[in-house]
Amino acid sequence: MKNKEVAEIFRKVAALLEIKGDNPYRIRAYQRAAQNIEALTVELEELAAQGKLERIPGIGKDLAQKIKEILETGTLEKYEELKREIPPELLKFLEIPGFGPKKAKVVYETLGIKTIEELEKACKEHRLSQLPGFGPKTEENILKGIRLLKQKKGRLPLGLVLPWAEEIVSLLKKRSPVDRIDIAGSIRRRRETVKDIDILVTSKDPLKVMEVFVSLPMVEEVLLKGETKSSVRLRYEGIQVDLRVVDPVCYGAALAYFTGSKAHNIRIRELGVQRGLKINEYGIFRGQERIGGQEEEEVFEAVGLPWIPPELREDRGEIEAAQAGRLPRLVEYDEVIGDAHVHSKWSDGSSSIEEIAAFARKLGLKWVGICDHSQGLKVAGGLPIEKIGEKKEAIRNFNKRSKDVKLLCGTEVDILADGSLDYPDEVLKEFDLVIASIHSGFKQDEQTLTERIVSAMKNPFVHCIGHPTGRLLGEREPYPVNIERLIKVAAETKTALEINAYYKRLDLNDIHSRAAKEAGVKLLIGTDAHIVDQMSYLHLGVAVARRGWCERDDILNTLDYKEFLNHLREITAWKLKARS
Ligand code: DGT
Ligand code: CA
Ligand code: ZN
């Protein structure tokens, strides 16, 4: 799991080069490499061993060599060199999202500000706005960045942490005498960000389990080692892992308790009290007598409820729904059989349509929407109009040959600043699937931005709006958009909304997905993969849908290829009719 560390070093090199005023292309190359490495779901070490590092987008000979250097030595000579040249305080500033190296340098050199606290204070006292090239807006942005940084320090994206948690579970299973083992806490509930990793086990030899746990290779520091609970800090982002060994007779009660959420637990406990029961992590008790708790179902049963899926346990109405027998039948992970949003070599993706289909087959998927960027997005290799026919032909030929996995010829068409689309209608209508997204002009005010998306939704050839709020977890706030209005217009125009499953996006989020579902809007899950293995994030999108109370019918990815194509055609036919 060195990927994160390599990406981090590349990102810092880019920042240091920027402070030095180095060549912007070189800087961009490091940034892009960092981004692509971070998003990999395979180990760099594995790719290096197979001599495949250069298959990562943005990695050429030189960067591949540098990756090897980091894997072998733990650092990069060039990075160490740069660090010697540039003061460490300045480096700290670069962690603040939206606070670029040039401005950081000015603040450091002219105001002598050395810590983030000092910087925060200076912004609040408006001491920065007096500097040339700075203004009240800059101060506001820096303060926003500091807020984001503080949030980010506390919580990490689920998509990053889940594989670490699973790795630990698999090592414990392999190397220690565990019987039952589960990941609990916010990860089990599939919350979009998590603070720490909670793991529960049962074992006949708890001491041995603890021994193995605290000496796992990814452990950086042992915080606590006990007979029933141990805590460690990992090398990955310094995240904490709590491992609890539980008595088998109360495993279910402990699992329910440590899965949470706290708000949900409190409601369950209250229901217990009403029935004269005490429910906690040690079991279900009537007086002194333990009357159950070995299985999680017993906890719910004891208070007259059916088992509630972990994704719903947030005290957002699930208790009432369970009491009324109206829990949703959540869409299942394996009911999602298509990935609607994948970028291929036809734009800025690094995989061919054949590779995408092969990976889809490996994931058990039946179809993929090949949605490349449109012509105007030059930085993202947007597909010029004259090339669309060729792509369409390639996909048609592929589909003729392929018996199982089918591809859709799609586009992620850019919504321009004035709300018009980056391809004219007569071009859009050639695609099987049209997702319209915003990629620029985030600084517009709420009304302008919202109306931009509304006009895109009114276009009869647009089937779906991509990453509707534009947020990036820990990096960028949503753009100012009136989501209620978007949902309302989506319902009126029968336009689907995307649940973008890329681990930093998860956009729509759970709460907005639920609002959309309740308004009768269909949701479409897409990974936005730019290299095939990012398609493995699809399950994160399903998790958002489940946390948003969505059922099978709410999610278009549960349709088979033919049904999905028909549905898309129906959207357009309906919109055309409504327009005339
Ligand atoms: P996180 O770690 O912030 O991402 O979210 P959680 O939900 O994993 O929270 P965490 O790790 O602090 O605690 C794990 C679970 O333990 C939590 O979901 C519910 C349970 N829990 C913790 N503290 C309390 C408490 O004071 N009362 C009750 N009823 N449950 C608690
Ligand atoms: Ca937790
Ligand atoms: Zn996009």
Side-chain angles (χ1 to χ4, degrees):
M1 204 49 84
K2 296 256 177 66
N3 299 19
K4 188 80 201 167
E5 291 162 49
V6 175
E8 202 56 38
I9 291 181
F10 278 3
R11 193 159 279 139
K12 290 203 172 123
V13 168
L16 290 165
L17 290 174
E18 214 171 337
I19 292 178
K20 283 188 62 173
D22 206 276
N23 177 346
Y25 287 99
R26 179 157 31 206
I27 296 169
R28 183 79 195 108
Y30 276 106
Q31 287 166 339
R32 214 170 91 94
Q35 236 168 38
N36 290 327
I37 290 170
E38 202 169 46
L40 288 176
T41 53
V42 288
E43 303 291 327
L44 276 176
E45 278 154 324
E46 212 172 287
L47 291 177
Q50 299 164 350
K52 285 189 183 160
L53 284 173
E54 286 175 45
R55 300 196 52 181
I56 307 168
I59 306 290
K61 244 205 190 74
D62 176 53
L63 288 175
Q65 188 49 44
K66 292 200 159 69
I67 294 173
K68 278 192 217 146
E69 187 185 333
I70 301 173
L71 291 179
E72 280 159 23
T73 68
T75 186
L76 191 66
E77 184 45 38
K78 183 176 173 83
Y79 172 51
E80 298 299 324
E81 228 169 73
L82 285 165
K83 274 203 298 191
R84 285 193 286 272
E85 286 175 45
I86 288 155
E89 293 93 345
L90 241 177
L91 275 180
K92 271 242 148 331
F93 290 165
L94 300 182
E95 290 174 19
I96 303 170
F99 190 36
K102 288 216 185 70
K103 286 211 159 72
K105 196 174 169 196
V106 172
V107 168
Y108 178 79
E109 285 174 354
T110 59
L111 297 181
I113 291 174
K114 291 211 165 61
T115 66
I116 289 181
E117 289 68 35
E118 283 171 24
L119 179 65
E120 192 173 4
K121 192 153 168 273
C123 285
K124 285 182 180 154
E125 291 168 357
H126 303 294
R127 281 191 279 137
L128 263 57
S129 50
Q130 291 142 24
L131 297 171
F134 287 64
K137 199 88 200 157
T138 326
E139 290 173 332
E140 225 172 88
N141 283 338
I142 295 174
L143 286 173
K144 205 195 268 171
I146 294 176
R147 265 202 310 281
L148 268 172
L149 180 67
K150 284 182 180 164
Q151 285 168 17
K152 181 175 147 186
K153 278 262 140 71
R155 308 191 67 81
L156 292 169
L158 173 69
L160 211 55
V161 180
L162 184 59
W164 302 340
E166 284 170 345
E167 192 185 356
I168 292 173
V169 166
S170 103
L171 286 175
L172 287 175
K173 276 188 188 162
K174 222 182 296 170
R175 300 183 185 174
S176 82
V178 297
D179 295 321
R180 299 179 76 169
I181 180 162
D182 282 283
I183 301 168
S186 49
I187 302 183
R188 181 158 182 245
R189 303 198 310 280
R190 297 293 188 266
R191 240 189 104 170
E192 63 188 29
T193 60
V194 304
K195 179 194 70 193
D196 58 12
I197 301 174
D198 304 286
I199 300 176
L200 293 188
V201 305
T202 63
S203 173
K204 285 175 204 69
D205 188 355
L207 282 178
K208 175 75 187 155
V209 175
M210 292 309 191
E211 201 58 55
V212 172
F213 175 61
V214 299
S215 36
L216 288 174
M218 62 281 270
V219 170
E220 184 171 75
E221 187 191 353
V222 179
L223 304 169
L224 170 85
K225 187 178 170 218
E227 204 168 318
T228 56
K229 182 185 173 190
S230 294
S231 298
V232 299
R233 192 172 292 291
L234 299 189
R235 284 196 280 111
Y236 315 147
E237 300 278 322
I239 194 169
Q240 182 171 332
V241 189
D242 294 341
L243 177 73
R244 290 183 174 81
V245 181
V246 181
D247 187 336
V249 299
C250 63
Y251 187 76
L255 183 58
Y257 181 89
F258 289 109
T259 295
S261 66
K262 192 168 158 183
H264 169 93
N265 286 354
I266 291 171
R267 294 292 308 279
I268 297 284
R269 195 170 54 209
E270 283 168 2
L271 290 177
V273 170
Q274 286 167 18
R275 292 167 185 242
L277 300 175
K278 190 170 91 190
I279 298 174
N280 58 28
E281 63 269 48
Y282 303 108
I284 306 161
F285 300 88
R286 174 163 280 131
Q288 292 303 314
E289 188 198 357
R290 191 201 320 256
I291 60 164
Q294 182 162 344
E295 301 303 325
E296 197 176 53
E297 284 79 2
E298 297 169 20
V299 172
F300 293 100
E301 220 176 274
V303 293
L305 298 180
W307 182 82
I308 299 176
E311 292 94 330
L312 295 183
R313 300 184 198 170
E314 298 289 348
D315 191 22
R316 291 182 185 154
E318 74 278 10
I319 307 265
E320 290 75 8
Q323 281 170 330
R326 283 209 200 91
L327 277 177
R329 203 201 129 287
L330 297 183
V331 57
E332 295 294 339
Y333 288 91
D334 62 7
E335 283 174 341
V336 165
I337 55 169
D339 182 343
H341 185 171
V342 173
H343 294 260
S344 75
K345 278 187 175 159
W346 289 96
S347 66
D348 59 344
S350 64
S351 313
S352 65
I353 59 173
E354 286 78 15
E355 288 168 325
I356 292 169
F359 202 82
R361 186 172 298 120
K362 213 167 107 184
L363 293 175
L365 300 179
K366 300 287 180 225
W367 53 263
V368 182
I370 308 291
C371 293
D372 288 293
H373 287 295
S374 56
Q375 54 183 0
L377 265 189
K378 298 261 163 28
V379 287
L383 191 65
I385 292 177
E386 60 274 16
K387 289 260 183 185
I388 295 172
E390 221 178 296
K391 170 175 163 177
K392 212 173 147 178
E393 186 61 24
I395 287 178
R396 187 178 320 151
N397 281 332
F398 175 88
N399 283 342
K400 254 190 236 152
R401 292 192 310 270
S402 173
K403 290 275 169 295
D404 49 1
V405 175
K406 301 283 184 185
L407 303 177
L408 290 93
C409 183
T411 180
E412 182 185 19
V413 65
D414 202 25
I415 304 174
L416 303 174
D418 63 356
S420 65
L421 298 168
D422 191 28
Y423 288 135
D425 284 4
E426 59 274 21
V427 170
L428 288 177
K429 71 173 204 267
E430 294 297 311
F431 290 102
D432 299 326
L433 168 60
V434 176
I435 298 178
S437 315
I438 284 192
H439 293 107
S440 60
F442 306 141
K443 297 242 159 78
Q444 290 175 334
D445 62 48
E446 177 174 314
Q447 200 192 347
T448 313
L449 240 153
T450 306
E451 293 317 308
R452 236 172 115 187
I453 302 177
V454 164
S455 22
M457 284 198 274
K458 288 185 176 159
N459 183 300
F461 304 104
V462 169
H463 303 112
C464 179
I465 298 296
H467 43 74
T469 80
R471 65 102 176 248
L472 291 174
L473 285 170
E475 284 174 26
R476 191 169 75 202
E477 305 259 22
Y479 25 74
V481 60
N482 181 338
I483 191 78
E484 288 76 26
R485 172 149 167 79
L486 285 195
I487 289 171
K488 184 163 169 278
V489 178
E492 285 164 8
T493 59
K494 293 198 193 291
T495 309
L497 294 177
E498 182 179 58
I499 297 178
N500 189 297
Y502 186 61
Y503 79 106
K504 279 191 193 173
R505 289 193 182 271
L506 304 185
D507 179 11
L508 296 180
N509 67 14
D510 49 0
I511 290 176
H512 293 150
S513 295
R514 185 169 173 190
K517 169 226 160 82
E518 276 165 10
V521 173
K522 301 286 182 202
L523 294 155
L524 183 58
I525 305 175
T527 58
D528 212 348
H530 283 68
I531 174 169
V532 282
D533 57 62
Q534 291 171 351
M535 292 168 70
S536 321
Y537 288 131
L538 191 64
H539 71 99
L540 295 176
V542 188
V544 171
R546 288 171 62 88
R547 287 179 58 84
W549 291 53
C550 291
E551 307 191 290
R552 188 186 171 128
D553 285 350
D554 301 313
I555 306 298
L556 295 177
N557 309 63
T558 61
L559 298 175
D560 71 30
Y561 171 69
K562 284 241 170 67
E563 290 168 340
F564 182 52
L565 268 182
N566 279 337
H567 183 87
L568 296 171
R569 287 184 194 130
E570 277 166 26
I571 293 177
T572 296
W574 187 89
K575 281 183 167 185
L576 282 169
K577 201 161 151 226
R579 189 167 71 170
S580 64

